[in-house]
Amino acid sequence: MSEQYVVGLGETDDTQIAVVGGKGAHLGELSRVEGVRVPAGFCVTTEAFRRVMADAPSVDEQLERLSRLDPDDRDAIRTLSADIRRTVEETSVPDDLAAAITGALTRAGDEAAYAVRSSATAEDLPTASFAGQQDTYLNVIGRAAILRHVSRCWASLFTERAVTYRQRNGIDHRTVGMAVVVQRMVVPHASGILFTADPVTGDRKAATVDAGFGLGEALVSGLVNPDVFTVRGGEIVSRTIAAKQRALYALPAGGTREVTLDAGRQEQPALTDTQVVELVRLGRRVEAHFGSPQDIEWCLAEDGTGFQIVQSRPITTLFPVPEADDEENHVYVSVGHQQMMTDAMKPLGLSVWQSTAMVPMHAAGGRLFVDITPRLAVPADRAALLDVMEKGDPLIRDALETVLDRGDFVPSLPAPDPSGTPAADAPAGSAPPAPIANDPAIVTGLIERSRASLAALRRDIGTKTGPALFDYLLEAFDEHKRVLRDPLNMQAIMAGMEATWWLNDHLLEWLGEKNAADTLTLSAPDNITSEMGLALLDVADAIRPHPEVVAFLQGVQDEDYLDELTKLPGGTVARDAIEAYLDQYGMRCVGEIDITRPRWSERPTALVPVILDNIRNFGPGAAARRFEQGRQEAAKKEQEVLSRLRDLPDGERKADETQWMIERVRTFIGYREYPKYNIVCRSFVYKQALLAEAERLVHAGVLAEREDIYYLTFPDLHEVVRSRRADGRLIQERKEAFRTYEALTPPRVLTSDGEALSGSYRREGVPDGALVGLAVSAGTVEGRARVIHDMAEADLEPGDILVTAFTDPSWSPLFVAVKGLVTEVGGLMTHGAVIAREYGLPAVVGVDQATRRIQDGQRIRVHGSDGYVEILS
């Protein structure tokens, strides 16, 4: 019977997490790495834990109560978790289990000192380290003491921090088991932590060593500041030697004690340079074995036997690096920061966007990146590229300049042969297209061509199923790119953007006007995104006269509520208005570049809070009034600017040039939004066809559920349809990986070394305490901050300021109800900035961690002309 309760550490490996927990499995695996010494010991298995839990009275009922608690109810969690720990610790260890543990101690040496260490099954995993969530006890001596501390380790599965961590990560307490590692104590000269990648920057080629005298617990607990060494390429590139006033040492009779170090020893390095380099070399072996950067606890034995590794876990906070087929340096720019969607995308969404993108894109961490190294490497292209990046997001430029300033990461290459023109939303542009006339018929023609292509797609795709559908979709993706690649399409987009830049630059120079184009572009024609926001005001007008419909909508939760509306007075009118809106805009949603995201047509409840806000905050006819008011303000501004210019030296020429540019910007700036609308319309057609195919696969028993296709790439899904076989294990792995990626923050710039750079503003004249960002829409406004992460959370009052992580076009219905905008991501010509200017909202974008630094309900002031936000209360 004892075999199932105790396993020798050398008999375990990474396949036995369910038996010996994450720590035990990793230690067993570590002992197999050549040249790595791991202190000897054994594991008390999870079966022993289950045996004790089965004998513990009332635990099942306590766990049930615990599972129902709110993760933020700290008092309740503290009380109940303490009760569970007490129950576990007071439960007697059965005789046969105690005999198995003491028998293992006899074989290992009864009189030795041991470390007794918790090893949960949800610990030291590739996707979540759970570091420090359970307890470790050092220098435990004697059978009785070890048995007592094994019970304490079992109980530590229910510490307040461990319970809270699991609840916030969606892990059922009853599914987690606890093993216990019992290891011979090492008497250390020094100990500490080795990160085989820089945990702050993510640089995979830089290792950092934290070191102190005595036991490592002194460092982990913050008792002392460590020496810190950075090693790169086998050499120490930086070192900080701390004043180590104290250290923790083992006592002969058991336990530990804090010791004050002699003054002469406090300033001595805990390790020599040679030892630091040797330790990092050892860490690289461990990293290679596990296949990912590691967080390693080590100690340098006092008896001269060298370094011993007492724990290794993956560093789960690093952003993954795109795969490359060479060993060269690469610099990647985030597509999400260009597209205003920095959330993780599911594999199908990633691969469809890659299949329809105008430039190659690389997936990493559930996000897409473009390798811009070739453009950076050509001095003739570099300046133009940096200028384009700055207009999109100044922080990207700053991050790129940080890399370039090092001088040795990006090579210098001769200019390549000219290649094709990328799409409007591609992070890197090529030479500007030739100019075109200020002719509104150009925009009308482009829109008609896009509509005709979309109509053909909808007509033809309906006849395709099985492998034939995928063959057709590959053709559709080529047509998708052909529409975007149309030279006239890029010329129209660039005409509006360049006219905006021209007006801002020249009117600042000639008249001292900041961001003059913001007013001149108000209510520009043909802007599909601003029209979408105004159209929802018209929906509110249709519903407002029917109080029973309004009352019904206030309680709506089910997605089929449209069918219920017809039972109410005025309900048919309301339903028709909402359905007409969905026919035009129902393919949109937050994060719409990922086709796996639910669209408004699929989840129409997302629009209900915004409709109700519009009913409450506006009167009839608001859409037409707002548009006309903006048009008149723009016309008035035009006349004012032209009049002032004519009073200047050479004023007639300046006025004529400016008038032509105003005409140009109003002709073309609205079209800036249409290609994205066309992309999203086409993508929704692709999605509907793929989901219909998924339904057939579920019906045939190939897939467990329709949404499983979201975790397959487009080629994966093609093969599943062809072979009628799916790898359920792969789908599950992809689901787990996606959950991990959701917790990561993508960098604006990422290097092939893994270094994540987000850039910084270098600006003077900003008030102390203000949050700095990019000025994208002029004006100053003060009001209540509404921090909103999902449109379905909207609850806006007149004068509110919207604060959110990013705004893609789907957010524009909220813009009509707010007085200002603050986002964490964005640039001068990104969608949120364009629509903010269209509606005349003061806006600051690119404010780092705005949704964390600004609290919902605080009063703030947005300086849309100067690019900063003040928190007033």
Side-chain angles (χ1 to χ4, degrees):
M1 188 104 179
S2 62
E3 289 79 12
Q4 61 188 336
Y5 293 141
V6 174
V7 177
L9 201 55
E11 302 169 38
T12 68
D13 58 33
D14 266 351
T15 67
Q16 295 183 279
I17 290 175
V19 177
V20 297
K23 187 181 283 101
H26 271 274
L27 286 169
E29 192 71 34
L30 273 169
S31 66
R32 290 167 164 71
V33 181
E34 184 179 355
V36 173
R37 293 170 56 87
V38 176
F42 59 90
C43 298
V44 182
T45 66
T46 54
E47 187 163 340
F49 169 73
R50 284 191 292 271
R51 169 79 183 277
V52 169
M53 290 291 284
D55 290 348
S58 73
V59 163
D60 282 345
E61 186 271 333
Q62 289 173 313
L63 290 178
E64 177 62 30
R65 286 166 51 206
L66 189 63
S67 68
R68 293 195 298 267
L69 292 180
D70 185 324
D72 294 323
D73 190 347
R74 298 186 63 177
D75 289 340
I77 289 175
R78 183 181 302 113
T79 300
L80 187 50
S81 60
D83 289 344
I84 297 172
R85 287 198 308 277
R86 192 176 306 110
T87 298
V88 174
E89 285 189 38
E90 291 175 355
T91 299
S92 299
V93 179
D95 291 344
D96 58 336
L97 173 53
I101 297 171
T102 56
L105 281 172
T106 299
R107 293 188 292 275
D110 279 5
E111 303 306 316
Y114 289 87
V116 182
R117 314 173 69 193
S118 304
S119 179
T121 55
E123 181 178 17
D124 293 353
L125 305 180
T127 56
S129 72
F130 288 70
Q133 298 305 316
Q134 285 86 39
D135 290 344
T136 287
Y137 301 96
L138 300 178
N139 203 37
V140 182
I141 299 174
R143 294 183 177 186
I146 286 172
L147 284 172
R148 186 167 63 253
H149 284 87
V150 167
S151 289
R152 289 181 178 175
C153 283
W154 289 330
S156 76
L157 190 64
F158 303 102
T159 61
E160 179 187 350
R161 63 183 182 274
V163 166
T164 302
Y165 192 95
R166 286 195 296 273
Q167 290 196 232
R168 288 182 173 163
N169 283 276
I171 297 171
D172 188 336
H173 305 294
R174 287 163 291 200
T175 66
V176 181
M178 176 67 85
V180 181
V181 176
V182 181
Q183 268 182 299
R184 291 287 289 261
M185 276 289 295
V186 176
V187 179
H189 163 75
S191 54
I193 310 292
L194 161 64
F195 294 99
T196 64
D198 189 313
V200 177
T201 69
D203 189 345
R204 275 32 170 211
K205 292 188 176 178
T208 64
V209 175
D210 290 5
F213 293 116
L215 294 166
E217 289 299 301
L219 301 186
V220 174
S221 64
L223 180 64
V224 297
N225 292 323
D227 298 336
V228 180
F229 303 87
T230 302
V231 178
R232 189 179 179 91
E235 295 183 359
I236 296 175
V237 295
S238 72
R239 63 167 58 75
T240 302
I241 307 303
K244 300 171 289 297
Q245 297 177 339
R246 292 178 293 278
L248 202 64
Y249 287 101
L251 291 168
T256 61
R257 68 185 176 97
E258 182 184 325
V259 175
T260 300
L261 297 177
D262 295 337
R265 196 178 179 209
Q266 291 178 7
E267 304 288 345
Q268 290 179 1
L271 297 177
T272 66
D273 286 2
T274 300
Q275 289 169 335
V276 170
V277 172
E278 178 191 349
L279 177 60
V280 170
R281 193 177 300 120
L282 199 62
R284 293 294 181 208
R285 288 186 189 175
V286 174
E287 178 184 67
H289 182 84
F290 288 112
S292 66
Q294 297 288 301
D295 165 0
I296 298 169
E297 294 182 23
W298 56 270
C299 54
L300 180 62
E302 210 167 54
D303 61 8
T305 55
F307 287 106
Q308 300 218 28
I309 305 300
V310 296
Q311 189 157 320
S312 183
R313 60 172 75 92
I315 307 175
T316 58
T317 56
L318 300 178
F319 200 88
V321 180
E323 292 184 7
D325 56 6
D326 59 36
E327 297 297 322
E328 302 299 321
N329 290 344
H330 295 271
V331 180
Y332 303 96
V333 167
S334 164
V335 172
H337 286 81
Q338 305 280 323
Q339 289 292 337
M340 300 301 96
M341 211 296 274
T342 54
D343 290 349
M345 296 169 66
K346 297 183 178 74
L348 186 62
L350 290 168
S351 63
V352 169
W353 192 265
Q354 287 172 299
S355 298
T356 54
M358 304 301 289
V359 293
M361 294 184 177
H362 307 266
R367 278 79 170 186
L368 291 170
F369 295 85
V370 171
D371 184 357
I372 62 166
T373 319
R375 295 287 310 278
L376 283 178
V378 179
D381 289 351
R382 187 180 299 159
L385 175 65
L386 291 174
D387 285 344
V388 169
M389 292 296 172
E390 183 171 30
K391 287 183 170 70
D393 185 338
L395 294 177
I396 290 179
R397 175 173 184 146
D398 184 79
L400 291 174
E401 287 180 334
T402 300
V403 176
L404 291 169
D405 287 346
R406 293 171 187 158
D408 59 353
F409 192 83
V410 178
S412 288
L413 301 174
D417 292 334
S419 58
T421 303
D425 286 322
S430 53
I436 53 176
N438 289 354
D439 184 358
I442 293 173
V443 171
T444 302
L446 285 167
I447 290 174
E448 286 305 318
R449 270 183 267 178
S450 292
R451 287 174 176 167
S453 177
L454 179 62
L457 172 66
R458 286 172 170 157
R459 180 188 67 238
D460 296 342
I461 203 169
T463 62
K464 306 294 190 295
T465 60
L469 169 65
F470 288 81
D471 293 338
Y472 175 78
L473 281 171
L474 291 173
E475 295 174 8
F477 294 165
D478 287 338
E479 168 66 6
H480 184 125
K481 288 185 277 192
R482 187 197 66 77
V483 172
L484 292 174
R485 196 180 284 120
D486 181 346
L488 195 59
N489 179 59
M490 176 57 74
Q491 287 173 314
I493 291 168
M494 292 306 298
M497 294 170 66
E498 288 172 347
T500 301
W501 300 332
W502 189 97
L503 287 167
N504 281 337
D505 291 345
H506 284 77
L507 295 181
L508 178 62
E509 177 187 350
W510 293 338
L511 300 177
E513 286 260 0
K514 280 186 180 179
N515 303 316
D518 294 0
T519 304
L520 294 168
T521 54
L522 288 172
S523 298
D526 299 312
N527 188 320
I528 190 72
T529 306
S530 62
E531 290 169 0
M532 176 174 67
L534 295 174
L536 207 58
L537 288 173
D538 292 335
V539 173
D541 285 353
I543 296 173
R544 189 181 291 105
H546 307 291
E548 291 185 54
V549 173
V550 175
F552 171 78
L553 290 177
Q554 288 169 343
V556 157
Q557 292 183 332
D558 296 331
E559 299 299 343
D560 60 359
Y561 71 90
L562 292 172
D563 296 332
E564 300 296 316
L565 280 175
T566 56
K567 302 173 184 177
L568 302 171
T572 300
V573 172
R575 184 198 62 186
D576 291 349
I578 295 171
E579 287 186 340
Y581 185 87
L582 292 174
D583 287 344
Q584 182 77 6
Y585 304 110
M587 76 297 296
R588 311 216 82 150
C589 68
V590 175
E592 62 194 9
I593 70 170
D594 181 356
I595 70 165
T596 71
R597 290 285 190 105
R599 311 284 131 173
W600 292 340
S601 290
E602 298 167 314
R603 191 173 290 174
T605 54
L607 294 174
V608 171
V610 190
I611 293 171
L612 291 171
D613 283 345
N614 288 347
I615 290 170
R616 184 173 66 249
N617 296 332
F618 297 95
R625 282 198 308 276
R626 285 179 65 100
F627 187 84
E628 180 58 21
Q629 180 183 348
R631 192 192 64 77
Q632 290 182 12
E633 285 184 38
K636 180 181 177 182
K637 185 67 174 179
E638 177 180 0
Q639 294 309 310
E640 174 209 322
V641 164
L642 295 178
S643 175
R644 291 171 62 194
L645 286 173
R646 291 189 180 102
D647 291 337
L648 299 177
D650 197 19
E652 286 300 328
R653 178 189 64 81
K654 291 174 179 175
D656 288 347
E657 289 181 3
T658 300
Q659 187 168 21
W660 190 83
M661 282 294 182
I662 292 172
E663 178 186 335
R664 191 168 185 77
V665 80
R666 292 193 67 79
T667 299
F668 292 111
I669 197 63
Y671 181 71
R672 167 72 176 81
E673 293 295 298
Y674 198 86
K676 181 69 172 289
Y677 174 73
N678 182 53
I679 288 171
V680 176
C681 287
R682 294 183 68 91
S683 296
F684 190 41
V685 177
Y686 308 152
K687 177 181 185 178
Q688 289 172 309
L690 292 172
L691 284 176
E693 196 63 34
E695 292 279 12
R696 289 186 278 273
L697 292 171
V698 171
H699 185 71
V702 177
L703 291 176
E705 54 188 22
R706 189 180 69 158
E707 285 73 19
D708 281 351
I709 67 167
Y710 294 163
Y711 299 94
L712 299 170
T713 65
F714 184 80
D716 289 341
L717 182 53
H718 191 173
E719 178 59 23
V720 168
V721 169
R722 188 198 64 78
S723 67
R724 312 297 284 179
R725 290 195 302 272
D727 185 343
R729 185 176 55 81
L730 174 66
I731 291 170
Q732 185 58 38
E733 287 174 359
R734 295 261 181 88
K735 289 180 178 180
E736 292 171 2
F738 176 73
R739 284 194 289 271
T740 303
Y741 298 153
E742 285 185 296
L744 298 177
T745 300
R748 285 175 165 82
V749 172
L750 184 65
T751 72
S752 48
D753 286 352
E755 187 175 7
L757 300 102
S758 291
S760 60
Y761 294 105
R762 306 178 192 280
R763 192 186 307 161
E764 297 177 354
V766 175
D768 290 343
L771 310 183
V772 181
L774 177 65
V776 296
S777 186
T780 301
V781 66
E782 184 178 315
R784 180 182 71 153
R786 289 293 286 117
V787 180
I788 298 177
H789 298 281
D790 187 331
M791 278 182 60
E793 302 169 359
D795 181 16
L796 298 168
E797 299 290 345
D800 282 351
I801 297 171
L802 173 62
V803 180
T804 191
F806 56 80
T807 57
D808 57 14
S810 69
W811 286 83
S812 64
L814 290 186
F815 285 20
V816 300
V818 297
K819 295 299 183 185
L821 173 69
V822 179
T823 69
E824 296 179 347
V825 178
L828 188 62
M829 296 307 298
T830 49
H831 302 279
V834 171
I835 305 306
R837 291 193 291 272
E838 179 84 8
Y839 287 164
L841 303 178
V844 179
V845 302
V847 178
D848 186 44
Q849 298 186 40
T851 59
R852 300 179 190 177
R853 297 162 74 185
I854 299 173
Q855 302 299 312
D856 186 56
Q858 281 186 313
R859 194 158 188 82
I860 63 174
R861 184 181 297 130
V862 177
H863 295 263
S865 300
D866 296 308
Y868 63 90
V869 180
E870 292 181 282
I871 299 176
L872 305 177
S873 66

